[in-house]
Amino acid sequence: MLLVSLVYASSVSASVDEQAVARILETSRAYNEQYDITGLLCFNHRYFLQCLEGSRTRVNHLYQRILQDPRHSDILLLDYAEIEQRRFDQWAMGYVPSGQLARQQILRFSGKAEFNPYEMTGASACGLLAELGSL
Ligand code: FAD
């Protein structure tokens, strides 16, 4: 099976709060577990940053669904790669809420004080996600 990793950034829609994100996570974990997709989702009220890992076909299929979702917009693909092994194999969808996005990590990976994944390179977005996933 060809394994891939896909990382994107998006802008959170106005109506989306922590409760809405909890619902997204519930749906995501059920679906991802069924289709052997793993990953990590970061949320800070303005932006999402998400990594999806799994078979190429399934990750692409899920990404098409996520693109249609009105709970976010301006979806920007930051990184797409074939991988040998998963980074987030313990999570059907791990979650990093805004309170856990430490300023120092953001500074180190983006050179900015505020979390804004649109200003990150694919490599720095992957680096930040990998570090958050290892905490
Ligand atoms: P249905 O549940 O039938 O919904 C139909 C449409 O309405 C879709 O466009 C759907 O996106 C939208 N929708 C569904 N619920 C709501 C709601 N409460 N409010 C507004 N619109 C809604 N899904 C996963 O399975 N795995 C993931 O890892 C994953 N990550 C996501 C990350 C983000 C940032 C977002 C915003 C969504 C994510 N989703 C994920 C949800 C995904 O976009 C789909 O909603 C989900 O897969 C169900 O798709 P469906 O085609 O069955 O839609």
Side-chain angles (χ1 to χ4, degrees):
M1 178 181 69
L2 257 173
L3 262 187
V4 301
S5 154
L6 185 157
V7 176
Y8 71 84
S10 64
S11 296
V12 177
S13 299
S15 60
V16 172
D17 55 13
E18 297 274 2
Q19 279 187 340
V21 176
R23 284 194 293 274
I24 291 172
L25 284 169
E26 201 178 310
T27 317
S28 300
R29 286 171 178 153
Y31 178 92
N32 296 357
E33 205 167 306
Q34 187 177 353
Y35 292 101
D36 198 21
I37 290 170
T38 51
L40 190 67
L41 178 69
C42 299
F43 165 75
N44 85 330
H45 296 277
R46 291 188 70 188
Y47 307 112
F48 286 116
L49 174 65
Q50 187 177 31
C51 176
L52 302 168
E53 301 170 328
S55 93
R56 183 170 66 182
T57 315
R58 288 173 178 172
V59 166
N60 274 280
H61 181 77
L62 175 58
Y63 185 56
Q64 307 298 324
R65 285 161 64 130
I66 291 175
L67 287 173
Q68 313 294 323
D69 198 311
R71 291 169 286 184
H72 61 169
S73 61
D74 300 325
I75 300 165
L76 181 67
L77 183 64
L78 297 179
D79 190 73
Y80 181 84
E82 287 175 5
I83 52 173
E84 295 284 322
Q85 56 188 20
R86 298 170 191 248
R87 279 203 194 100
F88 309 109
D89 57 353
Q90 71 276 40
W91 289 314
M93 188 48 60
Y95 179 52
V96 181
S98 46
Q100 279 177 32
L101 283 168
R103 191 166 279 251
Q104 275 186 340
Q105 285 165 330
I106 295 164
L107 246 176
R108 188 148 47 85
F109 285 101
S110 67
K112 312 270 175 184
E114 299 297 324
F115 174 64
N116 181 347
Y118 289 101
E119 293 186 351
M120 298 176 83
T121 63
S124 52
C126 289
L128 175 63
L129 285 163
E131 184 158 314
L132 291 169
S134 68
L135 295 178

